[in-house]
Amino acid sequence: MKLLQKILLAACVFAAFVPVVHAEKFFGSSSVSLLYSDDYEIFGSQKESATVFTFENVTAHNWGDTFFFIDRYQVQGDSGNADSTYGEFAPRLSLSWLSGQDLGFGPVKDVYLATQYEFDGGVEANNYMYGLGLGWDIPGFQYFNTNAYYVENNTAFDTPDDWQLTVTWGVPFELGSAAFLFD
């Protein structure tokens, strides 16, 4: 196993098992969705019927945050395609928390060690991502984050390693007495 993969694995294990007694939890949320369509388009113009089950979880703590989701793609009928399961686990470790120093500057609230692991999805993926993330303080946004990753691709497509920028945001708003979050 490559050194960077070991570091990512250690970060994932750390994020998953940080002692709860020492962690201040800011929020956590989970969602479940079930979708069905007779018109899923896959790999070009081929269409098929399928059901997709998704479980999603996000948490934020004083030490950092985690995002996890898993999709189960269940083919209906006889399209010839196989069912698949795809997931991602993305823990981030606050460098301010780790160092004991406030690393925020200007509109940047915090700097993170950002990692992510992507698995399967019908292409036998085991992709390892690592880099730096920034938590931004932008008026009107509940949160705004950017993560820049180096990606070690390991898929059936033999895609060369590359870079990825991930941006996440949440903007709360109200319509009458109903509260919403555009994210």
Side-chain angles (χ1 to χ4, degrees):
M1 187 181 282
K2 295 180 182 177
L3 175 62
L4 292 174
Q5 290 175 345
K6 289 179 182 178
I7 292 170
L8 176 61
L9 181 61
C12 288
V13 169
F14 177 79
F17 296 106
V18 169
V20 179
V21 92
H22 297 291
E24 179 183 352
K25 186 174 183 178
F26 300 135
F27 72 88
S29 179
S30 295
S31 69
V32 174
S33 63
L34 184 64
L35 305 171
Y36 173 82
S37 176
D38 285 325
D39 207 22
Y40 279 108
E41 186 173 319
I42 57 166
F43 299 110
S45 60
Q46 181 183 358
K47 295 188 179 188
E48 67 186 6
S49 298
T51 301
V52 179
F53 168 81
T54 301
F55 172 76
E56 198 173 39
N57 177 268
V58 62
T59 63
H61 299 83
N62 59 332
W63 55 263
D65 51 41
T66 64
F67 175 72
F68 171 78
F69 82 90
I70 192 161
D71 283 337
R72 176 66 180 163
Y73 187 84
Q74 191 82 30
V75 178
Q76 309 297 315
D78 58 352
S79 73
N81 290 320
D83 300 339
S84 66
T85 303
Y86 174 79
E88 297 180 6
F89 179 55
R92 297 188 320 157
L93 180 63
S94 164
L95 295 180
S96 292
W97 176 83
L98 187 63
S99 69
Q101 303 284 329
D102 180 4
L103 299 180
F105 57 94
V108 173
K109 293 190 297 187
D110 204 351
V111 180
Y112 296 88
L113 172 62
T115 61
Q116 186 166 314
Y117 172 60
E118 301 173 337
F119 54 94
D120 205 23
V123 294
E124 300 178 18
N126 279 297
N127 300 328
Y128 300 90
M129 304 163 66
Y130 33 86
L132 290 177
L134 298 175
W136 298 85
D137 186 10
I138 298 177
F141 285 79
Q142 185 174 0
Y143 61 90
F144 191 95
N145 299 302
T146 55
N147 298 319
Y149 297 105
Y150 177 74
V151 184
E152 285 188 10
N153 289 307
N154 176 12
T155 67
F157 298 123
D158 292 326
T159 305
D161 296 347
D162 57 6
W163 296 88
Q164 177 176 315
L165 176 66
T166 299
V167 179
T168 60
W169 72 90
V171 177
F173 66 95
E174 295 180 2
L175 292 175
S177 62
F180 297 90
L181 181 68
F182 173 60
D183 62 352

